[in-house]
Amino acid sequence: MNAPRTRPRTRRPRALAALIALPFLVLTACGSGDTGDTAAAGANASPAPTDDPVAAVHRVDSVAALLPAAVRESGTLKVGSAIGAPPGAYYPNGPDKAPAGQDIDLADAVAKVLGVELRRQDASFETILPALGSGKYDFGTGNFGVTTARLKTIDFVTYIDDGQGFAVKRGSTTLKKRITDLTQLCGLTIGTGAGTTFETTLAARKDVCAKAGKKPYDVKVFSENAATLTALQQGRVDVIMSTTNGLRYQAAQPASGTTFLGEYHRLDVGFTFKKGSPLTEAFRAAVDELIKDGAYARILDKWGTTGSAIDGSRINPPEHE
């Protein structure tokens, strides 16, 4: 029997209540903390695509058999889900409605192949990985990139390629071309998300400007994507660093007022698990099943991310050079 596709009730962090603080922020983020224009922005929120490629996905017994017996018996999995920005995961109709996005569809599709129901709990990005070890979640989603540091404590099952990129306010003359070397950022203020690979990259390379005899760059870290974009629009940061897919999607929306400067570093992206999780082989096989039957391609086409498609899922691949 096929498990029904459900959108279980979720718990959402209070900070997400301000998701749609401004119309252009709806396109990019979790919330700005400024609730003044929430109601007005809700009327202008960008709707999610209406097609449903997950509907035709069915349980595959040979893949479901790879799950631990306890999971097959309970028929449920707990997922910690970071709701941030389209096309990954966001609230197209406000934080009191169901989230949508590529990560949501892929997780739901994998669950259908495995014949389980997801119990989704929305959580802030930086809290999900630490919570996996405690058993709070069975797995996590949130466009988590595979890095050498994370592989020490986290298992990954990949489902797309994405990357690190930069964007500036539309019309900015501060930066006009793709960032290929962080010395191009010397003397500037960069906005990025807390607990992300972007923050890690910028911190690890903070000495590049001194070595080049230039003024160092300054990094401002924000807990929510919308706050990062607000800082860019208000001139408190010169450039933002985030996901390639997210920044490209954002720049394509006229109301966002940003220009995408291209990809800086490629990363595999995957579902995350505590180290040694018995779930990884089942998830890898489920992703491969979705690739084989075409549902995977239809999900990526829905969200405009076909350029991030992979040929096959991998468990714990090394970080891209």
Side-chain angles (χ1 to χ4, degrees):
M1 179 181 296
N2 295 329
R5 187 188 184 201
T6 60
R7 296 286 195 187
R9 184 174 61 185
T10 60
R11 293 173 59 194
R12 300 178 173 90
R14 183 173 297 178
L16 294 176
L19 166 75
I20 45 180
L22 291 171
F24 63 79
L25 296 183
V26 176
L27 305 171
T28 60
C30 296
S32 71
D34 175 5
T35 60
D37 295 319
T38 300
N44 295 297
S46 221
T50 57
D51 50 320
D52 188 4
V54 181
V57 177
H58 300 290
R59 173 188 165 106
V60 178
D61 290 342
S62 60
V63 179
L66 297 173
L67 287 170
V71 175
R72 296 199 305 272
E73 183 177 344
S74 70
T76 61
L77 285 171
K78 299 172 293 183
V79 53
S81 183
I83 309 300
Y90 71 120
Y91 293 122
N93 302 305
D96 59 334
K97 304 295 183 182
Q102 172 186 263
D103 286 355
I104 304 298
D105 281 352
L106 285 171
D108 284 348
V110 164
K112 290 191 72 174
V113 171
L114 296 174
V116 298
E117 177 184 346
L118 295 186
R119 294 181 177 174
R120 178 175 287 111
Q121 180 173 330
D122 299 349
S124 58
F125 179 90
E126 65 272 21
T127 67
I128 292 176
L129 298 187
L132 292 172
S134 70
K136 183 175 183 179
Y137 312 123
D138 295 307
F139 72 102
T141 65
N143 210 75
F144 288 102
V146 178
T147 67
T148 301
R150 285 176 174 167
L151 285 169
K152 294 177 181 178
T153 57
I154 298 294
D155 280 342
F156 284 87
V157 174
T158 61
Y159 58 83
I160 61 166
D161 282 334
D162 199 349
Q164 301 174 331
F166 293 92
V168 294
K169 186 176 180 179
R170 190 173 299 145
S172 170
T173 58
T174 303
L175 291 166
K176 296 182 179 180
K177 60 181 181 179
R178 179 185 171 198
I179 306 299
T180 57
D181 190 308
L182 293 185
T183 56
Q184 293 170 253
L185 302 173
C186 294
L188 301 180
T189 300
I190 309 155
T192 196
T196 62
T197 61
F198 322 117
E199 180 186 12
T200 301
T201 296
L202 293 169
R205 301 290 309 281
K206 62 184 178 182
D207 61 342
V208 295
C209 295
K211 290 180 179 178
K214 298 182 178 181
K215 182 179 178 181
Y217 55 69
D218 183 35
V219 179
K220 292 188 180 300
V221 177
F222 301 88
S223 61
E224 298 168 357
N225 292 337
T228 312
L229 182 56
T230 299
L232 179 71
Q233 298 291 0
Q234 294 178 348
R236 291 184 283 119
V237 301
D238 301 298
V239 57
I240 54 178
M241 187 179 187
S242 189
T243 67
T244 300
N245 282 338
L247 292 176
R248 183 184 289 116
Y249 184 100
Q250 171 186 291
Q253 314 304 315
S256 74
T258 63
T259 297
F260 177 51
L261 295 181
E263 186 172 88
Y264 170 71
H265 179 55
R266 198 71 172 165
L267 286 173
D268 290 306
V269 170
F271 299 111
T272 56
F273 307 81
K274 69 178 181 180
K275 204 67 180 173
S277 170
L279 297 173
T280 55
E281 185 56 39
F283 270 68
R284 183 204 59 76
V287 174
D288 282 349
E289 180 65 29
L290 293 172
I291 292 172
K292 182 176 71 174
D293 75 9
Y296 175 81
R298 291 190 291 274
I299 290 171
L300 267 59
D301 183 62
K302 171 183 176 179
W303 295 104
T305 57
T306 54
S308 288
I310 58 175
D311 295 328
S313 177
R314 293 192 292 168
I315 298 173
N316 295 337
E319 181 179 356
H320 283 285
E321 295 291 336

